[in-house]
């Protein structure tokens, strides 16, 4: 066991400890002032069933932060197993929608492939939270496909198949 107090000198240790928690992987899309914008995020969580609320947390240091935090509508696409390339694509560039299907001007842009669940949301709250923001959305539309999710833990991608 290694015990420490999170701070500037222990940032890597803190990040590794957080990486012990496996998360799903999403691509969040919104319509920015220059067209569709996407961002890979694993900071997605359900908040409430009634009303249907979810949250996600964009990094304030991202060049996509203004578009993502300012969007009135956004879509969260939960990626399926084997979609590491799609996750990497939107981790690198927020504008690379080629071959993924959103029509020009769709608000929010919707990916046609790679996801196993999709939540179309209207932003209802934005909270500052350190180096990120917390965006809370009211789910207006939801879609689901069968399949295992893409999972991220310990700095690596994998998948999860429930024991049957």
């Amino acid at each position: 066991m290694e015990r420490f107090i999170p701070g500037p000198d222990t940032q890597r240790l803190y990040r590794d400890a957080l990486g012990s928690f496996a998360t799903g992987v999403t691509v969040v899309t919104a319509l920015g002032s220059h067209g569709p914008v996407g961002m890979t995020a694993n900071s997605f969580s359900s908040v409430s069933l009634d009303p249907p609320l979810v949250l996600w947390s964009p990094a304030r240091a991202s060049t996509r932060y203004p578009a993502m935090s300012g969007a009135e509508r956004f879509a969260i696409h939960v990626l399926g197993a084997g979609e590491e390339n799609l996750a990497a694509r939107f981790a690198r560039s927020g504008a690379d929608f080629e071959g993924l299907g959103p029509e020009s001007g769709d608000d929010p842009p919707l990916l046609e492939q790679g996801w196993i669940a999709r939540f179309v949301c209207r932003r209802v709250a934005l909270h500052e939270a350190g180096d990120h923001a917390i965006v809370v959305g009211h789910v207006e539309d939801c879609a689901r496909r069968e399949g295992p999710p893409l999972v991220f833990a310990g700095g690596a991608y994998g998948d999860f198949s429930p024991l049957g």
Side-chain angles (χ1 to χ4, degrees):
M1 178 178 83
E2 187 166 8
R3 191 171 172 185
F4 59 93
I5 296 172
D9 295 339
T10 59
Q11 192 171 43
R12 180 76 251 170
L13 288 170
Y14 183 56
R15 194 176 176 113
D16 290 346
L18 291 171
S20 298
F21 183 69
T23 65
V25 181
T26 69
V27 170
V28 181
T29 57
L31 188 59
S33 60
H34 300 293
V37 178
M39 177 184 276
T40 300
N42 64 350
S43 59
F44 165 72
S45 182
S46 64
V47 174
S48 170
L49 294 175
D50 186 19
L53 301 174
V54 296
L55 69 78
W56 79 285
S57 299
R60 295 171 65 81
S62 171
T63 58
R64 292 168 262 179
Y65 178 81
M68 296 310 229
S69 64
E72 292 295 323
R73 300 187 75 226
F74 58 93
I76 299 172
H77 304 80
V78 177
L79 299 187
E83 295 295 339
E84 296 90 337
N85 288 337
L86 189 55
R89 182 178 187 169
F90 283 99
R92 284 189 308 269
S93 169
D96 188 3
F97 283 82
E98 186 176 338
L100 297 177
E103 299 290 323
S104 178
D106 280 353
D107 186 11
L110 301 177
L111 304 181
E112 291 182 357
Q113 58 202 22
W115 54 269
I116 58 170
R118 182 177 66 203
F119 304 90
V120 177
C121 305
R122 180 166 304 281
R123 185 182 48 140
V124 295
L126 178 70
H127 304 282
E128 291 192 28
D131 59 4
H132 283 66
I134 300 169
V135 179
V136 180
H138 181 270
V139 180
E140 298 179 329
D141 185 68
C142 187
R144 182 174 179 269
R145 298 175 175 155
E146 289 296 322
L150 180 62
V151 176
F152 188 76
Y157 292 111
D159 63 33
F160 173 77
S161 297
L163 299 175

